[in-house]
Amino acid sequence: MDISINPTMEAYGLIINGKSVQTGHSFEVLNPATEAVAGLASLAGSEELDEAVRAAATAFDKWSELPESMRQTACLDIASKIENNADELARLLTVEQGKPLNGLGARWEIGGAVLWTRYTAGLSLPVKVLQNDDEGKVELYRKPIGVVGSITPWNFPVLIAVWHIIPAILSGNTVVCKPSPFTPLSTLRLIEIMNEVLPPGVVNCVAGKNELGAEMTVHAGIGKIVFTGSCATGQKIMASAAKTMKRLTLELGGNDAGIVLPDVDPKQIAEGLFWGAFINSGQTCAALKRLYVHDDVYDEVCNELVAVAREVKVGVGVNEDVMLGPIQNQKQYDIVDGLVQSAESKGRVLLGGNPDEIRKETGGKGYFYPLTIIADLENGDRLVDEEQFGPVLPIIRYHSIEEAIEKANDSSNGLGGSVWSQDIERAKEIANRMECGSVWINKHGMIQPNAPFGGIKRSGFGVEFAEEGLLEYTDIQVVFS
Ligand code: NAD
């Protein structure tokens, strides 16, 4: 089915200084469910990046001086605008990203963008009085940094853009955003919508290939980069941002472990385990990516997980009965397939594993991959050690909790983790011993706007959300009087 929603193929314009800008060059964005062209995005080069940074720098002078309450109101207006345009944004997201409209898909992502925007709009940065006595007064001010460069990935394009942009502008910064070249359309439209309520230049959007992101990281006019994406790109950004001493927030890859204790009811936890691992077809930074199950409940947990997975429909996301879509792009498909092939001879394939099967069902087009569960793997197997970022879950058997904790922590990543048990206090003790930024008990990946989220080890540094996330967009100034 052709679900292109931009039949005239006029390129989506960049958004610079409040205006839609056609550059005369554009690039194609593919629909991962059909491999047809979903739309065109205008291609930005150095010149457009300079223009966007200039516009943001000019807008900063007034925007940063506004009373905080006016910026809060603007963010609330943005939330309403996103809400009013939710249907269009969700369809665009489905067409370019592949996720279904329904379930934990595109509508859910846009709903999350509204929720996060509203919540963040209510945060504030009061002056903190550190001392006020006969010796004098000491006050701590939080000042905006200037122009923030936001670089986003293709898995949750709208939600992650909101996570970057809203705290940045609320705290008085202005923004130049660069979406992933795989999913620029929904972000260009989102930022066009934001510009209906913002002064020109406060939020700009440039679309382009990876080199454009690299240019942002050395641009002298940008004071901070907030980046969500792969560890490899995060390392490059950290190196190149050093030249201009940019502030950084790096939300990078994860290889989250889940530990299932012997006291669980496998039937009761199976659905939570499944969606923890397979949300967004596994293309989620804090998805459950390695599952450690105690020997006592191992077979039952495996069976229950497979039973849940068999009920979930994978397909073209505009169909309302579809719960999971394809892998977003060919490159990621090849990574996932390579990891599955490496695991097939080492473990026991309980479900999926053969992409030809799903091709028959979906008509041979699109980057569809069958939901795949492979048991009896070990640390040291590539599918366990490397981030799959796809609809595949490796299961590892363990015998003692010490062994499970050691294996879970044996990773250079440290984004999230989970413990599954009926004994919450015991589960919390184990959670405290896991080396990661967030740990969930009897669920996985449930982030929320009032709780800071971020990685440790090579999953990055800095946090997003809540007051702690807002502070990342500020420098400190202390005034002694
Ligand atoms: P990616 O690193 O390839 O690309 C992310 C963004 O960086 C894109 O906009 C890309 O154009 C840009 N980019 C590429 N090279 C660059 C460079 N040298 N300098 C500056 N920018 C550059 O990642 P991806 O493939 O889009 O996303 C998948 C990865 O992102 C996974 O590893 C996943 O775990 C991670 N991720 C992490 C989180 C989190 O919050 N921790 C969230 C989503 C995704």
Side-chain angles (χ1 to χ4, degrees):
M1 178 176 30
D2 180 13
I3 52 168
S4 164
I5 57 167
N6 188 13
T8 59
M9 286 297 164
E10 189 195 336
Y12 281 70
L14 313 178
I15 307 295
I16 300 177
N17 207 22
K19 295 194 186 75
S20 175
V21 175
Q22 296 285 343
T23 60
H25 300 278
S26 62
F27 60 98
E28 288 181 349
V29 179
L30 296 187
N31 178 337
T34 62
E35 297 174 60
V37 177
L40 303 175
S42 292
L43 180 68
S46 311
E47 214 175 291
E48 288 81 19
L49 175 60
D50 284 343
E51 270 178 44
V53 174
R54 253 197 316 274
T58 305
F60 177 78
D61 293 341
K62 278 198 184 142
W63 182 252
S64 58
E65 290 298 322
L66 286 180
E68 189 181 59
S69 61
M70 289 182 74
R71 292 196 300 266
Q72 288 173 322
T73 304
C75 291
L76 286 175
D77 290 346
I78 288 173
S80 302
K81 281 277 172 193
I82 300 174
E83 203 165 39
N84 294 341
N85 290 277
D87 194 48
E88 180 200 348
L89 284 169
R91 285 183 177 276
L92 199 45
L93 198 48
T94 292
V95 167
E96 71 169 347
Q97 205 286 335
K99 63 183 64 192
L101 278 172
N102 206 347
L104 301 172
R107 292 192 192 106
W108 182 77
E109 178 169 344
I110 304 301
V114 174
L115 177 84
W116 250 272
T117 303
R118 277 214 176 105
Y119 179 83
T120 309
L123 296 174
S124 72
L125 293 165
V127 178
K128 203 166 160 184
V129 179
L130 304 179
Q131 183 187 320
N132 191 11
D133 58 20
D134 296 346
E135 307 271 305
K137 194 169 184 185
V138 183
E139 291 159 295
L140 187 153
Y141 290 79
R142 290 284 178 172
K143 319 244 305 186
I145 294 164
V147 178
V148 170
S150 147
I151 303 177
T152 55
W154 45 257
N155 57 345
F156 289 91
V158 170
L159 194 51
I160 293 176
V162 157
W163 290 348
H164 290 184
I165 292 168
I166 300 301
I169 63 172
L170 183 78
S171 48
N173 301 279
T174 54
V175 177
V176 175
C177 180
K178 190 207 83 66
S180 165
F182 291 111
T183 52
L185 306 181
S186 50
T187 311
L188 287 165
R189 183 69 186 118
L190 170 77
I191 292 176
E192 190 172 39
I193 289 165
M194 287 184 179
N195 271 272
E196 291 173 14
V197 297
L198 289 171
V202 173
V203 180
N204 308 272
C205 189
V206 288
K209 302 290 174 169
N210 293 348
E211 305 80 63
L212 189 67
E215 273 190 55
M216 288 169 73
T217 64
V218 292
H219 200 294
I222 293 179
K224 176 192 168 91
I225 295 283
V226 50
F227 170 75
T228 304
S230 63
C231 295
T233 306
Q235 283 168 344
K236 286 187 203 159
I237 290 176
M238 201 171 159
S240 56
K243 296 188 190 84
T244 47
M245 205 62 89
K246 290 190 194 341
R247 283 84 182 107
L248 292 176
T249 300
L250 300 178
E251 297 286 2
L252 309 179
N255 194 8
D256 292 11
I259 300 178
V260 177
L261 300 196
D263 68 351
V264 296
D265 173 351
K267 206 176 182 61
Q268 207 186 347
I269 64 166
E271 198 149 335
L273 286 173
F274 175 82
W275 286 108
F278 287 87
I279 178 174
N280 206 31
S281 298
Q283 303 166 117
T284 306
C285 51
L288 173 52
K289 294 184 178 135
R290 301 174 280 153
L291 185 62
Y292 295 87
V293 183
H294 192 275
D295 187 45
D296 287 357
V297 285
Y298 189 84
D299 290 334
E300 253 190 290
V301 168
C302 288
N303 292 341
E304 293 297 340
L305 249 176
V306 169
V308 172
R310 282 195 197 285
E311 295 301 312
V312 174
K313 177 149 179 171
V314 179
V316 178
V318 285
N319 299 327
E320 294 288 343
D321 60 338
V322 165
M323 289 294 133
L324 289 172
I327 292 175
Q328 205 282 325
N329 57 71
Q330 181 75 56
K331 186 170 160 234
Q332 190 61 35
Y333 181 100
D334 292 342
I335 292 172
V336 171
D337 194 40
L339 287 172
V340 168
Q341 284 182 29
S342 76
E344 277 174 342
S345 58
K346 310 242 176 185
R348 190 161 45 99
V349 179
L350 303 180
L351 185 73
N354 180 2
D356 292 340
E357 282 170 18
I358 195 155
R359 274 206 203 100
K360 271 185 242 148
E361 283 170 39
T362 52
K365 281 284 180 197
Y367 311 123
F368 288 100
Y369 207 86
L371 304 181
T372 297
I373 299 176
I374 306 184
D376 302 352
L377 290 170
E378 282 298 339
N379 281 36
D381 293 333
R382 282 186 58 210
L383 182 57
V384 179
D385 289 359
E386 296 174 31
E387 184 190 32
Q388 65 273 47
F389 217 63
V392 180
L393 181 66
I395 307 183
I396 305 106
R397 188 191 299 265
Y398 76 84
H399 295 88
S400 79
I401 189 62
E402 290 305 315
E403 175 199 353
I405 295 171
E406 195 180 314
K407 286 183 174 169
N409 286 340
D410 180 21
S411 168
S412 58
N413 289 122
L415 194 56
S418 56
V419 184
W420 303 72
S421 170
Q422 301 203 22
D423 182 344
I424 304 297
E425 288 314 309
R426 173 89 178 109
K428 279 194 206 165
E429 281 166 25
I430 295 166
N432 282 153
R433 295 179 61 193
M434 291 179 82
E435 296 168 359
C436 47
S438 308
V439 193
W440 294 275
I441 315 282
N442 294 326
K443 52 194 170 197
H444 197 110
M446 312 286 268
I447 48 173
Q448 50 193 59
N450 60 353
F453 171 74
I456 62 168
K457 301 206 270 187
R458 292 192 200 165
S459 290
F461 52 79
V463 291
E464 297 187 272
F465 318 153
E467 191 190 297
E468 289 82 352
L470 195 62
L471 298 181
E472 299 259 332
Y473 293 90
T474 64
D475 283 329
I476 285 177
Q477 185 179 57
V478 181
V479 176
F480 303 81
S481 59

